[in-house]
Amino acid sequence: MSELPFAATTPVSVSRVGLKARDAESLAAYYRAVVGLQELSRADGAIALGAANRPLLVLEPDASAKPDDPRSAGLFHTAFLLPSRADLGRWISHAAANRIGIEGASDHLVSEALYLTDPEGNGIEIYADRRPQDWKWNGDKIAMATERLNLPAVVGSVPAGDAGWQGAPENTIVGHVHLRVGRPEDAEAWWHDQFGFDTVAKYGGQAVFLSSGHYHHHIGANAWQSAGAGRRDPSRSGLAWVEMRSDNAKAETSREDPWGTVIRTVPGKA
């Protein structure tokens, strides 16, 4: 059995993501078929999906919602972290066999990742981390890049005779969430102040990456499409909330970042 990824064992980590869905049933079917999540529960119309009884995604139906605007503040992508490179290889074979549209495939040095977009415009990353002891740090900054992913090598990590993709395996988690913001500097200051996150990488004034406990990043924030964006329009579909788990939290809390994105915190160990 795989171990829980390092990303979930830090003092603060991502727990779940909530999406406002114009068609929750269709979106749930997509996440089951493409990402391999299982439906775990339903309450008040909301559909909770996850892996091996670990809830990761909640779809909240709102048929009257306006489509998400990629130039506004909101979700850039939810990043589903698989426990091993072989799991990522299994998923790649699954995507190829089912002609799942992939929009990008990158080697980030710390991780290997593929990118796609759900039917309502929400970005998705499917990735596997390299071993933390193999990451390169320059002081308190992590070495990350965007290089071509060696797809055959990842697929080749799957053992011969393997049963293949059977859905998101146990210990799949949301490793990080990447947000669209108006000013990355404001996001950096907010996550420092509210969660004590460290800045581990910056790309000029366009993007910042933040983490807890020496992970490569739990939160990304960029203004690539959303520079100058103000508060998020609550009548649009897309990101509803992000839930963080904290070792130090004594009770559930909820706050808003500078763009009105709801960030929840729940107490508990990984």
Side-chain angles (χ1 to χ4, degrees):
M1 188 179 75
S2 64
E3 294 182 356
L4 194 64
F6 171 59
T9 67
T10 52
V12 182
S13 63
V14 183
S15 175
R16 302 184 298 164
V17 171
L19 300 178
K20 182 187 290 187
R22 303 175 77 207
D23 185 342
E25 293 293 347
S26 292
L27 211 54
Y30 176 89
Y31 280 93
R32 289 195 302 265
V34 172
V35 183
L37 302 184
Q38 302 166 330
E39 182 174 319
L40 301 180
S41 63
R42 295 189 178 219
D44 301 322
I47 304 170
L49 302 161
N53 294 317
R54 178 187 295 272
L56 303 176
L57 186 70
V58 179
L59 305 178
E60 300 178 346
D62 186 349
S64 65
K66 295 181 292 186
D68 190 26
D69 177 1
R71 296 164 300 178
S72 69
L75 181 69
F76 191 66
H77 60 238
T78 302
F80 296 97
L81 174 57
L82 302 178
S84 73
R85 193 184 199 209
D87 290 320
L88 187 62
R90 294 180 185 102
W91 186 83
I92 292 169
S93 296
H94 156 72
N98 291 278
R99 300 186 177 182
I100 294 166
I102 303 299
E103 295 166 6
S106 299
D107 183 336
H108 294 303
L109 307 183
V110 294
S111 63
E112 296 173 297
L114 295 100
Y115 298 90
L116 53 160
T117 302
D118 78 19
E120 296 197 5
N122 301 295
I124 298 169
E125 177 179 340
I126 309 286
Y127 77 116
D129 277 334
R130 288 199 165 91
R131 300 187 310 163
Q133 53 266 46
D134 294 331
W135 301 346
K136 301 293 190 292
W137 290 86
N138 180 16
D140 60 355
K141 299 297 184 283
I142 189 79
M144 293 193 292
T146 299
E147 301 177 350
R148 183 186 297 272
L149 181 62
N150 187 337
L151 289 164
V154 180
V155 172
S157 68
V158 179
D162 188 83
W165 182 252
Q166 304 291 313
E170 183 177 10
N171 291 329
T172 296
I173 63 169
V174 178
H176 67 268
V177 176
H178 198 143
L179 302 170
R180 306 187 310 248
V181 300
R183 271 175 47 94
E185 303 96 317
D186 295 342
E188 180 181 22
W190 190 86
W191 286 92
H192 282 187
D193 179 61
Q194 298 293 323
F195 285 91
F197 273 16
D198 301 312
T199 300
V200 291
K202 295 178 85 164
Y203 292 93
Q206 291 296 301
V208 63
F209 298 88
L210 305 127
S211 80
S212 170
H214 230 50
Y215 186 52
H216 60 70
H217 70 292
H218 290 102
I219 294 292
N222 78 68
W224 293 325
Q225 296 172 286
S226 56
R231 286 180 68 84
R232 181 167 171 76
D233 181 351
S235 68
R236 290 193 181 275
S237 65
L239 186 61
W241 44 266
V242 177
E243 184 179 87
M244 309 299 293
R245 178 210 55 80
S246 173
D247 287 352
N248 301 317
K250 299 294 188 287
E252 294 187 15
T253 60
S254 180
R255 64 200 95 177
E256 292 184 356
D257 77 1
W259 299 274
T261 297
V262 174
I263 309 295
R264 301 176 177 175
T265 307
V266 295
K269 302 291 184 180

